[in-house]
Amino acid sequence: MSPDAPKQSHWCYVAYWEHRTRVGRLYAVYEHAVSIFYDLPQGTGFCLGQLSPTGGGGGGGGGSTMVQRARGKIGYGILLSNEPDGVWAYNRSQHPVFVNSPTLDVPGCRSLVVRKVMPGYSIKVFDYERSAALRHTGGAAADGPEVPEGPYDPNSVRISFAKGWGPCYSRQFITSCPCWLEILLNNHR
């Protein structure tokens, strides 16, 4: 690559959370696909097992039995892929993952939509065309669904490992889930 060549920009950042506490730094993704896993002796990507545990007290953290159990279920984790039509997630673990994003929400619906993705299946977690249409029309995503906890980001995706949240689950908020990801999309395309 010549020194005059433009530098490739990241297409997203990935943040790993345990309950309400972010663990480690934001992980910038430059390649079109990234594996996010817990403990894999071979392979490349974002290895959550290499991050320092958050410790005991406060909002959960590494010392929690619930967090330890959930970490054990991440396994091979997910593969995130940035495709021309949007961002896809493939569940490579042996347990379901749960996903929420503004483009998965039902138009006009004021409650949070969380999709369950079984092992071996994939889902388009973010649709670029739908996102642009919602921005331009001031549709449901402009105000965001009724998310009573935390700020609303129309360019983010939340993925929980093994534990669901929302109106259909005992955990109402993703911050009640022991292990989860926040995908912060860089939509300056």
Side-chain angles (χ1 to χ4, degrees):
M1 192 161 118
S2 79
D4 298 329
K7 292 191 180 200
Q8 180 184 5
S9 179
H10 67 283
W11 62 270
C12 77
Y13 283 111
V14 178
Y16 171 62
W17 295 80
E18 292 178 350
H19 294 287
R20 295 176 176 267
T21 305
R22 191 174 88 204
V23 180
R25 309 172 122 178
L26 289 176
Y27 182 84
V29 179
Y30 296 90
E31 302 294 325
H32 87 279
V34 62
S35 289
I36 303 168
F37 50 88
Y38 187 73
D39 190 21
L40 188 65
Q42 69 279 3
T44 59
F46 187 24
C47 181
L48 303 176
Q50 297 296 313
L51 300 175
S52 298
T54 57
S64 160
T65 304
M66 190 183 314
V67 168
Q68 295 299 330
R69 277 198 311 259
R71 280 182 175 180
K73 293 179 179 180
I74 296 171
Y76 291 117
I78 62 169
L79 177 72
L80 272 184
S81 182
N82 187 18
E83 302 296 334
D85 64 338
V87 177
W88 287 78
Y90 174 68
N91 184 0
R92 298 175 55 209
S93 79
Q94 297 296 312
H95 301 275
V97 295
F98 298 82
V99 179
N100 168 261
S101 103
T103 65
L104 287 175
D105 288 334
V106 177
C109 181
R110 298 300 296 168
S111 65
L112 187 71
V113 175
V114 178
R115 305 270 188 220
K116 182 178 187 177
V117 183
M118 297 304 288
Y121 286 84
S122 62
I123 185 172
K124 187 192 307 184
V125 295
F126 196 86
D127 184 313
Y128 292 130
E129 191 174 302
R130 181 148 189 246
S131 174
L134 290 169
R135 268 195 314 272
H136 292 303
T137 62
D143 297 328
E146 285 185 29
V147 180
E149 183 166 302
Y152 175 77
D153 182 346
N155 295 312
S156 73
V157 176
R158 295 174 176 192
I159 301 173
S160 173
F161 295 101
K163 302 292 180 185
W165 82 97
C168 299
Y169 298 92
S170 61
R171 294 169 184 81
Q172 292 300 296
F173 312 112
I174 195 163
T175 53
S176 299
C177 295
C179 300
W180 59 281
L181 300 172
E182 185 175 27
I183 314 303
L184 304 164
L185 299 168
N186 180 13
N187 275 2
H188 305 111
R189 307 162 59 82

